[in-house]
Amino acid sequence: MLGVEELYHRYRDDVFRYLCSLTHDPAQAEDLLSETFLCAIQKAGSFRGEGSEKTWLFGIARRLWLQALRKHRPTVEYSDLLGLYVEDTVGQALDTRQLADRVRQLLDALPRRERTIVQLRAQGLPYEEIADRCGIRAGSARVIEYRTRQKLQQTLREEGYL
C-alpha cells in the first residue's frame, strides 16, 4: 500500500468528488474527506489488498457519509438507503420512493443469503462483519454482494427504473 501522504495526494480529488455526489454539499464533503483519510490512517494495517486502494477509500467515505446521515437524520428510512445503494443518481430516473419500493420487492425475491448480504452492505457494514454474520469469507461476501447488486441494477434497467 502507498504511504498515507501519497495516498492522499493521489485520491483526494476522486474521494472529494464522490463525497460531493453523495452529500450535495461541498463543505460537508470536505469534512468527510478529512475524516476518511484519518480513518484510513487508523485502519491502514487492516487493508488487505483484496481491492484497490481507491475502492477501499470510497468504502470508508461511504460508511462515514452513512454515519453522518444517520446522526443528522435519525428518521432515515431503510428504503431510502436501499435506493441510494443501488443507484446514486436515483432522482434522474424516478422518484426515490418508487425505486426503493421496487428494490425491496426484488430483494424479497432473492435467496435469503444474498438478500441478507445486500441489506447489511446497504446499511454500511464492512465485508468482514457481513462475512462473520453469514459464516462465509469476506471475499465471498464481496463477490455475492457485487453480483447481486449487478443483477438488481440490470433488472431495474430492463424495467425502465434506471
Side-chain angles (χ1 to χ4, degrees):
M1 184 162 106
L2 299 172
V4 175
E5 189 173 330
E6 188 176 342
L7 199 66
Y8 177 77
H9 289 297
R10 182 176 290 182
Y11 298 116
R12 72 173 173 225
D13 293 337
D14 293 332
V15 174
F16 178 73
R17 281 191 298 275
Y18 175 66
L19 286 166
C20 279
S21 75
L22 294 174
T23 64
H24 304 288
D25 178 2
Q28 184 183 14
E30 189 68 41
D31 291 342
L32 289 171
L33 177 70
S34 299
E35 287 182 52
T36 298
F37 281 96
L38 285 174
C39 189
I41 291 168
Q42 294 169 348
K43 295 183 178 194
S46 68
F47 178 71
R48 295 186 195 163
E50 292 176 5
S52 72
E53 293 161 335
K54 183 176 178 179
T55 302
W56 179 65
L57 289 169
F58 274 37
I60 293 170
R62 184 175 169 278
R63 273 192 301 281
L64 290 171
W65 169 71
L66 286 169
Q67 288 171 1
L69 190 62
R70 288 183 194 116
K71 282 181 191 173
H72 299 310
R73 269 185 53 196
T75 58
V76 171
E77 294 290 325
Y78 178 68
S79 59
D80 292 339
L81 291 175
L82 282 175
L84 290 168
Y85 170 78
V86 172
E87 183 67 38
D88 290 339
T89 58
V90 171
Q92 297 171 2
L94 252 190
D95 178 58
T96 304
R97 278 272 184 240
Q98 291 173 325
L99 177 61
D101 288 342
R102 182 61 184 136
V103 169
R104 185 182 304 271
Q105 291 170 354
L106 291 171
L107 281 174
D108 288 344
L110 290 173
R112 184 175 185 208
R113 184 174 74 167
E114 290 176 14
R115 181 176 57 245
T116 300
I117 290 170
V118 168
Q119 288 172 334
L120 292 173
R121 189 66 182 154
Q123 292 173 15
L125 269 64
Y127 289 109
E128 292 76 20
E129 190 171 335
I130 294 169
D132 288 342
R133 288 187 183 193
C134 294
I136 59 176
R137 292 187 7 245
S140 296
R142 186 181 314 272
V143 168
I144 292 168
E145 186 267 341
Y146 175 80
R147 288 179 180 164
T148 303
R149 186 164 33 100
Q150 293 299 312
K151 195 174 2 175
L152 290 172
Q153 288 176 339
Q154 181 62 33
T155 301
L156 292 170
R157 276 190 210 96
E158 289 171 0
E159 294 177 354
Y161 283 89
L162 299 178

